[in-house]
Amino acid sequence: MGFLNLATRCLGIDLGTTSVIVAMKDKGVIINEPSIIAIEKKTGKLLATGYEAKEMLGRTPEKINVVRPVKGGVIADLSATELMLKNIMNRINKKYGYARTKAVIGVPSGITEVEKRAVEEAMYEAGAREVYLIDEPLAAAIGANVNIGEPTGSLIVDIGSGTTEVAVISLGGIVVSNSIRIAGDDLDRNIIDYIRKYENLEISENCAENIKKNIATVKPGFLETMEIKGRDLQTGLPTTITINSKQILDAIEVSIGKIIAIIKLTLEKTPPELAADITERGIILTGGLANLKRMDELIMDKTGINAYVANNATHCVALGTEKALENVGKIRQLQSKRRR
């Protein structure tokens, strides 16, 4: 069958620092896995992706390189990103049949033109025939079922792994926005550094992430404990200790404060008419870190505006990118279409 006779497949992709999430039209989220790959150094052969590659972190021999292709919300290793996306496209073709692929990819609002071209190039090399980019806050709003075309203001706070995106949206576009490269990964590093400094224990990234998911909180008054394993820095031997939520709050407090500061800065720059809308409608939280315990309460305390976590917050960007394909001509933030 000739390629031109194939049906068209519509994909929305959230190419995140920690996870890659893919949504397909009429199917919803079809892939949600760590954005990590394992490569054989000598040949460049792809050995593993996703959860399998994540399990290899810190456990591989010298001949295998485990790579995070995306850092800070942007492509850090183009060839590794292409390998990861090609693998994803091959798996989709194998499961759903071959098709002409149209893709919309969410990107941080603050990235450069060079970084945007890198994202496009990686997707084209993976086999897509049409590629569009959309700012992540817009995609997150669409995925959270916000009617972005209304002449009213909505404030989206999308807290992912590599970046925190804060944007005021009205009439289909971003009116005010701020982006900082402080998010979930930074909290993991905060936890690793704190436990190393105060407990003399070296822990893995996976351990830090589990701590964050299980007992981290952004407000005092919530106390849980957790046993963790690591390497004692004094003896060099494996050991187990117990930590609590208060310690983790101390570890992440500075980073959380910076996220709150960027939200307040965005509100300060918001036109009065739209600020009134936001006060009435509330602040919408999306992204994986939106689910951190008491995050909505803390934002409400610091801004005086009600905040709530969107349904399916982790998947909002991916679902929004897929839905955006229905309105490619109407969304100004989508770049001009390129064909191959």
Side-chain angles (χ1 to χ4, degrees), residues 42-340:
K42 187 175 180 180
T43 64
K45 180 183 177 182
L46 181 67
L47 300 177
T49 64
Y51 289 103
E52 185 181 354
K54 186 176 181 180
E55 288 300 314
M56 298 167 72
L57 278 171
R59 304 169 187 264
T60 59
E62 183 65 26
K63 65 180 182 179
I64 298 174
N65 192 20
V66 180
V67 180
R68 291 183 181 271
V70 181
K71 294 181 181 178
V74 298
I75 290 176
D77 187 325
L78 182 57
S79 61
T81 303
E82 290 171 1
L83 279 174
M84 182 175 70
L85 290 175
K86 283 178 181 177
N87 176 268
I88 287 170
M89 292 284 280
N90 288 338
R91 285 153 52 198
I92 292 172
N93 287 333
K94 186 176 180 180
K95 183 172 182 178
Y96 298 100
Y98 284 84
R100 190 179 193 280
T101 299
K102 248 196 242 188
V104 173
I105 304 176
V107 295
S109 57
I111 71 170
T112 66
E113 290 301 318
V114 172
E115 290 167 335
K116 287 179 181 179
R117 285 195 295 272
V119 175
E120 289 181 314
E121 189 62 30
M123 197 62 212
Y124 280 127
E125 288 298 323
R129 303 298 289 184
E130 296 181 31
V131 179
Y132 303 85
L133 303 184
I134 182 172
D135 288 335
E136 285 177 352
L138 264 183
I142 296 168
N145 296 316
V146 175
N147 186 348
I148 65 170
E150 291 181 345
T152 52
S154 298
L155 180 61
I156 302 292
V157 179
D158 182 53
I159 318 173
S161 297
T163 60
T164 295
E165 304 277 328
V166 186
V168 177
I169 296 169
S170 180
L171 289 171
I174 293 176
V175 180
V176 181
S177 70
N178 285 288
S179 175
I180 55 170
R181 292 184 181 181
I182 295 176
D185 279 0
D186 296 272
L187 269 59
D188 293 346
R189 285 190 290 271
N190 295 157
I191 293 168
I192 289 171
D193 292 344
Y194 180 94
I195 292 173
R196 181 184 179 90
K197 181 177 180 179
Y198 293 103
E199 300 293 338
N200 289 313
L201 190 73
E202 188 78 43
I203 63 170
S204 67
E205 292 180 15
N206 286 345
C207 180
E209 185 179 4
N210 287 332
I211 292 168
K212 180 181 67 183
K213 289 180 177 179
N214 286 288
I215 67 169
T217 180
V218 297
K219 286 184 66 178
F222 172 89
L223 189 66
E224 283 189 336
T225 60
M226 180 177 177
E227 278 196 353
I228 60 170
K229 296 178 181 179
R231 180 172 60 86
D232 189 297
L233 292 173
Q234 292 181 331
T235 67
L237 299 175
T239 190
T240 301
I241 66 168
T242 300
I243 56 169
N244 61 56
S245 301
K246 172 63 170 63
Q247 292 171 290
I248 303 309
L249 176 57
D250 290 342
I252 66 176
E253 200 164 24
V254 172
S255 291
I256 293 296
K258 291 177 181 178
I259 292 173
I260 296 297
I262 206 71
I263 296 171
K264 293 171 75 173
L265 177 63
T266 305
L267 284 167
E268 289 168 8
K269 294 182 177 179
T270 301
E273 294 83 359
L274 298 181
D277 295 336
I278 294 165
T279 300
E280 182 178 339
R281 302 175 73 171
I283 299 170
I284 305 162
L285 308 182
T286 65
L289 211 63
N291 295 309
L292 198 61
K293 292 180 179 70
R294 307 186 77 181
M295 178 66 86
D296 51 349
E297 294 178 31
L298 180 66
I299 291 173
M300 184 167 62
D301 289 347
K302 297 298 183 181
T303 64
I305 300 172
N306 185 44
Y308 64 93
V309 179
N311 292 331
N312 213 356
T314 302
H315 296 163
C316 278
V317 171
L319 293 171
T321 54
E322 183 272 314
K323 290 179 183 178
L325 278 168
E326 300 172 5
N327 298 288
V328 165
K330 298 179 182 180
I331 300 176
R332 295 176 297 175
Q333 275 63 29
L334 288 175
Q335 293 191 344
S336 297
K337 181 170 60 178
R338 291 170 56 199
R339 295 178 183 268
R340 283 194 176 182

